[in-house]
Amino acid sequence: MTLHDLTNRYGDHKDARVVEIDVSGGRREMTQSDLHALAADRAGQLTAAGVRRGHLIGIKAGNSIDWLAWDLAALATGALLKAFPDSTEVADPAEFVARHGLALLIADDSVPLTAPTVIRPDGVPRENVAPPSAEVYDREDVHSLVYSSGTSGRLKGLRITASGTNYVINRFIDSYRLTTADRHLIFLPLSNYQQRLSVYCCLWLGADLVLAPYQRVFQALRKEQPTFLIGPPVFYDTALQLSASSSADTSLGDFLGGRIRFLITGMAPIRRETLEGYWNQDVRLLEAYGLTETGMVAWNTQDAYRLGSVGKLIDPETVIFLDDGEVVINRPAPLSQGYFETDEGAPEDCFRPDGSILTGDYGRLDEDGYLSLIGRKKDVIVLGSGRKVHPAEIESAFVAVEGLSEIIVVPTSQSARLGAIITPTDPADADLRAQLRKRVEEVNGSLPAHQRVMSMIFSEQPLRSDPAFLTGNLKLSRARAAEHFAATISAAPAADEGGR
């Protein structure tokens, strides 16, 4: 697959479908051939509006067929789509367009139509509306500009490459044996570039594609019957709980539509208990690992998998481990060329002069070549003694504790003392809390002294499913959790409990 060849290829797919489901449950459907015709019309509208090769077209809108059409129209005209997250604020559209060097901004109802360069996703731009000040981007290998939110929650602009896009999609098609018989459901924002990779993949193959908002995802699963989907751990936790509590006498596979071949999870660590919940019901939930900076690094597949790992390295020869265990990628076709418009504190130096990319993740390979992630570099807790601990590694020691739904290890104001935020399976059960305190002490006895949890509080709700503690990419913000609970944790003796 290449993006260049994709421009015309999907126009021949007269049977493959593209489906859009909106928040109210409304459904829109067309063939990929019809989508090609719509994108061609939009490409003509862009040209009439004065958009030229290298111009930036901004888009800030929810998932829709129109979103896809503008993306594909930009590809056809040689313009670059600059995708803004849903949370982006546009108080003054004219100023926003000028500040970002845009030729046109496609925006949802949250953005007022007070500038001639702003249109709705289903609108038509005026002729010759692109301002003379619109930036003409030196494309080289750059395909799109996107924003990524890491565990800090800070936005990082990334220059996405066409070569990296082609490379990842081709490997994905081969590794997961995708065909025209597949049907893919997307419920995460298209502003997240991973979702656009999936779109291009389906359009190249002629596999069906369904766009559904998160609010409608479970209804869409049952009605649209996808064969695969990609989602964060919080989605799979929720699906497992809903399936178990359903009054209908259906299996997990049936709850998910009845045609699932495989599911992929990434973006954040997933509980071993969740993985086993799927596999025990013959639903293949596969962990994978990648970054927007590099593209996919490792994945489990239907043919090669190991629960608890993120899979085998896709290109073992391009991966090295620094002395401290950090994973470094040096791939000929990385997904990104580097950052732009980074907020203060973003890791500008992860793109090294030799072409290698520091991932910020610590990992290790087992004897069979499966990669396990130990934790994030930015999450490392430095104790008063100077020793460094990985909170995720400590948390993994508690996964088998009965009655524990979630544990998050955090630093405390006492530099030699680690704290933990614990969510019981039954938060209202006082006896269970007492048992958990005892079990934490028992597990502590098996850990080195510097890794032991010395104080704890209890939470009514898992933080990894609480939007207040998640980034835009649904990853846990450890800094946010530690800050929010700092006062309570610091004051709580080991035997006491705090609360939210």
Side-chain angles (χ1 to χ4, degrees):
M1 190 221 87
T2 68
L3 286 169
H4 179 270
D5 293 336
L6 176 66
T7 305
N8 291 316
R9 179 181 172 106
Y10 70 100
D12 296 330
H13 299 155
K14 300 182 184 303
D15 296 322
R17 320 301 289 184
V18 181
V19 176
E20 170 197 328
I21 299 169
D22 63 28
V23 174
S24 66
R27 191 175 187 277
R28 178 185 180 192
E29 179 176 343
M30 64 175 59
T31 67
Q32 291 185 7
S33 179
D34 289 338
L35 175 63
H36 183 270
L38 177 60
D41 286 345
R42 295 284 166 80
Q45 293 166 10
L46 290 177
T47 300
V51 174
R52 300 292 181 261
R53 180 178 178 82
H55 270 164
L56 297 176
I57 301 170
I59 186 165
K60 191 200 94 68
N63 292 3
S64 68
I65 287 175
D66 290 308
W67 206 112
L68 301 182
W70 287 116
D71 184 19
L72 295 164
L75 179 63
T77 59
L80 280 76
L81 201 71
K82 189 171 187 178
F84 295 94
D86 293 345
S87 59
T88 304
E89 294 185 4
V90 186
D92 182 340
E95 184 278 333
F96 186 88
V97 167
R99 174 159 47 92
H100 288 277
L102 304 179
L104 190 69
L105 175 63
I106 299 148
D108 57 25
D109 293 343
S110 68
V111 179
L113 295 176
T114 56
T117 48
V118 181
I119 63 168
R120 297 290 179 242
D122 60 352
V124 177
R126 301 179 192 178
E127 293 189 3
N128 299 314
V129 73
S133 59
E135 181 179 352
V136 179
Y137 209 89
D138 184 6
R139 288 191 54 146
E140 296 182 4
D141 188 30
V142 178
H143 162 60
S144 184
L145 302 182
V146 305
Y147 291 88
S148 175
S149 175
T151 51
S152 68
R154 285 190 287 261
L155 287 177
K156 303 172 292 183
L158 287 160
R159 302 192 302 274
I160 299 297
T161 67
S163 59
T165 297
N166 300 338
Y167 181 84
V168 170
I169 292 175
N170 285 322
R171 295 301 299 270
F172 186 74
I173 291 172
D174 291 343
S175 296
Y176 291 92
R177 304 193 305 274
L178 300 179
T179 71
T180 55
D182 279 304
R183 187 174 179 89
H184 181 42
L185 173 65
I186 290 177
F187 60 89
L188 293 176
L190 288 168
S191 58
N192 180 331
Y193 194 68
Q194 170 61 58
Q195 315 317 310
R196 287 165 68 193
L197 289 172
S198 298
V199 168
Y200 303 147
C201 175
C202 290
L203 294 179
W204 179 261
L205 288 172
D208 287 352
L209 178 66
V210 180
L211 304 175
Y214 189 80
Q215 299 93 320
R216 291 277 174 179
V217 66
F218 295 110
Q219 296 96 320
L221 279 166
R222 291 189 289 274
K223 183 175 181 179
E224 303 297 338
Q225 299 183 307
T227 61
F228 75 99
L229 66 149
I230 301 169
V234 63
F235 166 78
Y236 294 110
D237 285 336
T238 304
L240 192 61
Q241 293 164 10
L242 289 176
S243 174
S245 62
S246 174
S247 57
D249 185 19
T250 59
S251 66
L252 175 60
D254 289 337
F255 179 82
L256 297 170
R259 295 186 61 224
I260 290 293
R261 290 203 299 119
F262 64 91
L263 307 168
I264 295 177
T265 185
M267 309 172 209
I270 189 168
R271 297 185 305 150
R272 178 63 177 258
E273 182 180 51
T274 301
L275 287 171
E276 291 175 346
Y278 281 78
W279 282 82
N280 289 342
Q281 298 189 58
D282 296 322
V283 180
R284 295 194 170 189
L285 176 54
L286 304 165
E287 281 192 90
Y289 166 59
L291 301 87
T292 311
E293 287 85 346
T294 64
M296 297 308 298
V297 175
W299 51 37
N300 288 282
T301 67
Q302 304 101 302
D303 303 316
Y305 52 84
R306 178 156 296 171
L307 264 64
S309 80
V310 294
K312 287 192 172 183
L313 297 175
I314 298 170
D315 300 304
E317 69 281 1
T318 69
V319 179
I320 63 172
F321 295 84
L322 299 183
D323 291 343
D324 61 0
E326 184 174 0
V327 181
V328 181
I329 312 297
N330 196 346
R331 179 178 288 164
L335 190 58
S336 171
Q337 280 187 350
Y339 295 120
F340 70 91
E341 295 178 16
T342 51
D343 286 353
E344 184 179 354
E348 297 277 5
D349 58 349
C350 88
F351 290 89
R352 304 203 294 186
D354 65 357
S356 61
I357 301 173
L358 297 170
T359 66
D361 290 304
Y362 294 107
R364 53 173 170 250
L365 290 176
D366 67 16
E367 58 185 12
D368 295 320
Y370 287 91
L371 176 65
S372 294
L373 297 179
I374 300 169
R376 292 284 295 160
K377 189 173 186 176
K378 65 178 65 175
D379 292 334
V380 166
I381 299 171
V382 181
L383 301 176
S385 63
R387 300 199 67 157
K388 298 178 181 180
V389 297
H390 300 281
E393 189 173 26
I394 299 171
E395 290 159 6
S396 67
F398 293 88
V399 294
V401 173
E402 186 176 354
L404 189 150
S405 175
E406 178 183 82
I407 181 170
I408 297 173
V409 173
V410 295
T412 74
S413 59
Q414 297 169 276
S415 61
R417 185 183 179 110
L418 294 175
I421 305 159
I422 293 174
T423 305
T425 52
D426 182 358
D429 188 339
D431 290 338
L432 177 57
R433 294 189 179 200
Q435 293 170 22
L436 287 174
R437 285 195 292 270
K438 182 178 179 182
R439 286 292 292 124
V440 167
E441 289 305 316
E442 291 173 357
V443 175
N444 270 341
S446 67
L447 296 174
H450 65 282
Q451 292 186 341
R452 293 173 184 169
V453 172
M454 302 305 292
S455 61
M456 70 188 81
I457 64 171
F458 289 91
S459 173
E460 298 289 325
Q461 176 182 345
L463 270 61
R464 287 185 173 91
S465 61
D466 185 340
F469 298 96
L470 300 180
T471 68
N473 286 347
L474 300 181
K475 300 176 183 178
L476 174 72
S477 172
R478 288 184 178 274
R480 204 174 300 164
E483 178 183 351
H484 187 78
F485 284 91
T488 308
I489 295 171
S490 298
D496 287 349
E497 67 182 35
R500 289 179 60 179

